[in-house]
Amino acid sequence: MKKHKLEFSIGALFVALLVLLMWQYLYFISKPLPIILVSISVAIIVYIILPIGEKNREHEAYAPKFFAQAAVTSLIAVAIIILAAVILNKTTFSKTFDLTNNKINSLSDESEKLLDSLNKPVQIYCIPASNPTDNYCDNSTDLLNLYMRRSKNLMYMGALSLTDKAILQKLQPSGYSRLILLTDNNKSEVEGQITESKLTNGIINLIKYKKVVYFLTGHGEPSINTEGNAEKNYSDIVMALRSKAYDVKEWNIKQGNLPKEARVLVAGDNNLTYSEQVETLLENFIAQGGRLVLIVNPYREQGLEKLYTKLNLKLDPILLTLNTNTPIGQQIMKQNLSRPPVIASNFSTESPITKVITQVYGAQGVMPIDGARPITVLNENGNSNIKTHSIVLTSAYNAAPITITTEARNKIDLNSPFQLIPDKNFDPNKAWPLAVSVDINGASNFSSDKSISKPADAAKDKSEVVIYGFSLVGPYSKSVPISEELLPLTIAHLYQDQELVSIPTKDFTPKQFNLTRNPALWLVLFSGVLPISTALAGFFIWMRRRSA
C-alpha cells in the first residue's frame, strides 16, 4: 500500500465520496454502516500520508513529492465531497451562517434565553391550511428547526393528518393554518403566519400561564354545570373548553371587579336585567384590556345601553321570529314546535371566528336559533377617544320582525306557548345582523375609574368585544353543531397569547442559490463523470508507474 500511495489515496477518497453520496440509503440499511465505511477510508488515507511502517528510508521512505501529491489530491477531493454532500444531502448535512450585521436571520436574545431555560417537554403540531397547495407547514419548518437546535425539550411532531381522528380528538384545533403547542397540562395555539415573536410569546404563555375563562353569574345566566335548567346550560361547552386545556370559573357580580390577569369573560343571556353595577364591571374589564363575549337573551331586556353606545352599537327593539310565509317556514311549522326557530346564515369570512365555520359548513350554513335580537352598527367615528371597527359575523334572512317594548319583552312567558304578531309590511328579504365583533382602540377610555392605568404604548390600549344577539344554548343547540362550536371558537380567538416580549419581524427562509437552472444536472457530474474520471486517472498513473 505504501508503494502506491497516490493510487490508494485516490481509491479511498473515491469510496468516501460514494458513501457520502449514498449516505441516506446506507443509513437506512444500517445506521453505523456509512460511518464505518468513511472511518475506514479516512484511516487508509492517514496511514498512507503519515511515515508509518517505512522500511527503506534511504530510497523512497516517505518521499516528499508523493506526500505532496496525496495531500493536494486529498484536499481537492475533500472539497468536492463536502460540496457534493451539501448539494445532494442537504437534509442530513446542513449549516446556516448569518453574515448580516444585525443578525436578522438568527434567533433574538429573548428567544435564546427562553429556550435555554425551558425545562419541560413541549410538543409542536402543525395544522395545515384548508387548501393543501398553500404548504403552510413547510413554510414554518426553517424557523422551527432553529428553535429545536437550541432546545432539546422542543419536539416538532410534523404536519397533522386531517384524517387521523384520534390525534384530532386529542388536540381539538380551533381551525386551520396554526401551530399547536402542547405540554402535559396546558395547550396553546399560534395562528396564521408563524414569526419568531409569535412563537416565542406562544411558548412563554404556554409554560407560565394557565388560560382561565370566566362566566359571569348573578342575574339568571345559564350555569356552567348541569344544575338548574337541564336544557339551557353551558356544561357541554365547558367540557369542550376543558378538553382544550382551558380552566373555567364562574364569577359572581358580588365579587366586584375581575382579577387584573383575567383575559376572557362570557356574560349575558341573563333573565334579570343587568344593573348599573354590572355595566361598570364590564366597562372596567374592557378598560383593562379584557376580551368580552356578550350574549343577548332575545326574550329579556339586557340593560347595557350605555355600554353598547360606547361600542357604537344598538340593540334594535325587535324580536325576530320565523317567517311562516316562506317555504322553509311552512315546513318548520309542520313540526308543531312551541317556538319555531329563526334561521341564521351568511357567515362572514372576514373574521377568524366565523371563517372556520365557512371552511367546514360553507358561508350559507344553516343554524336554527331560538329567537334573536338584531344589532345595528352605528357611526364608528362618533367618539374621538374610543375607536371601533365592527364586523358582522352572521345574519338572518327571511325572518319576521316584531317591534316590542321593554316591558312587553320581559313579560313573555317562556314556559308556555305564545304568539306575537309580526310587523305589517316588513321586508321579507332583509338581512338582519345577529352577531358583531368589535375591535376597540383606546379601550382604557371605557372606564372612569382612575385606578385603571392607561398603557404606555398606545398600540396595546385595545380590546375586543363579540356580541351574539341570540342564545348559544337552548332547544336547538344540541342538534346543531355550529351553535356549540361558536363559543369555543370565539374564546380561542379572543384568548390570543399576550405579547410579553417584542421581537422585530425577521425572515428565516434560507437564501439559497442554484449553481445552474437545473441543479439535478450536478448529480450526473458528481455521481458519474467525476468518479469515473478520477478512477481512470488513477489507473493511468498506475500503468505508467508499472512500466517505469
Side-chain angles (χ1 to χ4, degrees):
M1 184 180 291
K2 286 285 186 177
K3 185 178 179 179
H4 304 286
K5 294 180 178 180
L6 185 59
E7 291 89 336
F8 276 102
S9 65
I10 292 175
L13 290 169
F14 177 62
V15 172
L17 173 64
L18 288 179
V19 171
L20 289 176
L21 291 175
M22 301 177 63
W23 186 282
Q24 294 181 12
Y25 302 100
L26 295 173
Y27 185 83
F28 179 76
I29 296 172
S30 175
K31 291 183 179 180
L33 179 60
I35 299 175
I36 293 173
L37 293 176
V38 170
S39 300
I40 292 173
S41 301
V42 172
I44 291 173
I45 295 171
V46 171
Y47 175 73
I48 290 172
I49 293 177
L50 295 179
I52 301 174
E54 298 286 356
K55 295 180 179 179
N56 187 1
R57 298 181 178 273
E58 295 179 359
H59 299 287
E60 233 183 333
Y62 190 54
K65 66 175 184 180
F66 291 125
F67 174 77
Q69 288 177 345
V72 171
T73 305
S74 301
L75 290 175
I76 295 173
V78 168
I80 294 173
I81 289 171
I82 294 175
L83 180 62
V86 169
I87 293 177
L88 300 177
N89 298 277
K90 69 176 184 178
T91 57
T92 305
F93 302 97
S94 62
K95 178 64 178 175
T96 301
F97 298 95
D98 189 358
L99 303 179
T100 57
N101 292 330
N102 52 356
K103 302 298 180 183
I104 63 172
N105 297 312
S106 302
L107 293 179
S108 63
D109 293 339
E110 293 87 348
S111 298
E112 291 182 347
K113 289 177 182 177
L114 169 66
L115 296 173
D116 291 341
S117 64
L118 192 62
N119 56 7
K120 60 166 48 177
V122 176
Q123 294 180 335
I124 302 178
Y125 293 84
C126 181
I127 309 300
S130 57
N131 184 0
T133 61
D134 288 347
N135 296 323
Y136 174 78
C137 293
D138 293 339
N139 296 335
S140 307
T141 303
D142 297 311
L143 178 58
L144 290 172
N145 286 336
L146 287 177
Y147 275 74
M148 287 186 291
R149 288 173 193 165
R150 190 74 186 191
S151 175
K152 295 181 179 179
N153 284 316
L154 276 181
M155 294 166 286
Y156 181 49
M157 313 305 291
L160 180 66
S161 173
L162 298 180
T163 59
D164 190 341
K165 294 184 179 180
I167 194 67
L168 281 173
Q169 181 64 28
K170 173 186 175 183
L171 300 179
Q172 296 193 9
S174 300
Y176 298 100
S177 303
R178 65 196 62 221
L179 293 181
I180 293 185
L181 314 180
L182 201 64
T183 62
D184 56 348
N185 63 351
N186 206 358
K187 174 185 156 187
S188 181
E189 295 188 4
V190 181
E191 181 184 352
Q193 182 182 359
I194 304 302
T195 63
E196 183 189 2
S197 181
K198 277 187 176 182
L199 189 52
T200 297
N201 280 288
I203 296 173
I204 294 174
N205 282 274
L206 177 75
I207 62 178
K208 292 188 176 181
Y209 301 101
K210 183 70 174 178
K211 295 182 177 180
V212 182
V213 180
Y214 291 90
F215 283 75
L216 193 65
T217 63
H219 286 75
E221 298 88 346
S223 172
I224 63 173
N225 306 307
T226 56
E227 303 170 356
N229 190 340
E231 190 180 60
K232 191 172 182 178
N233 59 67
Y234 291 120
S235 59
D236 290 341
I237 293 177
V238 168
M239 187 182 303
L241 290 173
R242 285 173 174 160
S243 69
K244 296 175 182 290
Y246 291 98
D247 193 7
V248 179
K249 296 181 180 180
E250 289 185 335
W251 187 266
N252 194 290
I253 182 61
K254 296 179 181 179
Q255 296 176 256
N257 288 333
L258 279 89
K260 289 186 177 181
E261 65 272 12
R263 296 285 303 284
V264 174
L265 171 67
V266 180
D269 207 355
N270 48 307
N271 286 320
L272 302 176
T273 303
Y274 278 143
S275 63
E276 187 175 345
Q277 180 186 5
V278 177
E279 195 164 35
T280 301
L281 179 145
L282 297 179
E283 290 176 348
N284 290 342
F285 178 70
I286 295 173
Q288 291 177 340
R291 312 297 176 91
L292 177 64
V293 182
L294 266 179
I295 302 171
V296 177
N297 181 351
Y299 300 104
R300 292 292 181 265
E301 193 64 32
Q302 193 170 43
L304 298 174
E305 290 79 8
K306 293 181 180 178
L307 177 61
Y308 285 113
T309 299
K310 292 182 179 180
L311 293 171
N312 293 315
L313 299 177
K314 177 186 176 184
L315 292 182
D316 294 337
I318 289 174
L319 173 64
L320 292 180
T321 60
L322 179 69
N323 186 356
T324 57
N325 294 324
T326 61
I328 189 172
Q330 293 172 0
Q331 291 180 4
I332 293 175
M333 286 299 294
K334 293 179 182 179
Q335 301 179 24
N336 295 321
L337 300 172
S338 60
R339 294 199 299 273
V342 177
I343 305 302
S345 185
N346 194 31
F347 293 95
S348 171
T349 58
E350 293 183 44
S351 170
I353 300 171
T354 47
K355 185 177 181 179
V356 178
I357 300 293
T358 63
Q359 291 171 337
V360 178
Y361 303 99
Q364 302 303 320
V366 173
M367 180 177 64
I369 53 179
D370 182 20
R373 188 166 181 180
I375 305 168
T376 297
V377 178
L378 305 176
N379 181 9
E380 296 182 342
N381 298 319
N383 192 324
S384 59
N385 295 325
I386 302 174
K387 301 296 182 182
T388 62
H389 174 66
S390 302
I391 299 175
V392 176
L393 304 181
T394 184
S395 304
Y397 286 97
N398 299 322
I402 301 172
T403 303
I404 188 172
T405 63
T406 298
E407 185 179 1
R409 189 187 299 271
N410 288 334
K411 287 184 177 180
I412 295 176
D413 186 0
L414 301 179
N415 296 319
S416 60
F418 62 90
Q419 287 187 343
L420 297 173
I421 301 175
D423 297 345
K424 295 181 179 180
N425 302 322
F426 67 86
D427 183 1
N429 298 316
K430 182 177 180 178
W432 299 91
L434 298 184
V436 177
S437 172
V438 184
D439 289 318
I440 304 169
N441 288 317
S444 60
N445 296 305
F446 259 78
S447 176
S448 57
D449 189 344
K450 296 182 179 179
S451 63
I452 298 177
S453 58
K454 182 179 294 188
D457 185 358
K460 294 184 178 180
D461 189 12
K462 59 184 180 180
S463 180
E464 185 172 354
V465 179
V466 179
I467 302 99
Y468 289 103
F470 53 90
S471 177
L472 296 176
V473 291
Y476 305 108
S477 61
K478 303 291 184 183
S479 58
V480 181
I482 300 179
S483 299
E484 292 201 336
E485 290 175 5
L486 265 180
L487 190 54
L489 287 173
T490 304
I491 291 172
H493 167 68
L494 296 179
Y495 222 126
Q496 296 173 0
D497 292 325
Q498 298 185 54
E499 187 176 350
L500 302 174
V501 295
S502 181
I503 302 173
T505 303
K506 302 178 182 180
D507 181 11
F508 291 95
T509 305
K511 313 303 184 293
Q512 300 177 352
F513 64 93
N514 292 328
L515 299 179
T516 176
R517 293 184 179 180
N518 188 0
L521 293 177
W522 287 93
L523 181 62
V524 177
L525 173 63
F526 288 113
S527 62
V529 176
L530 186 60
I532 293 173
S533 60
T534 304
L536 290 175
F539 181 74
F540 176 73
I541 295 173
W542 178 73
M543 290 295 294
R544 290 195 61 180
R545 293 190 62 186
R546 277 177 61 91
S547 61

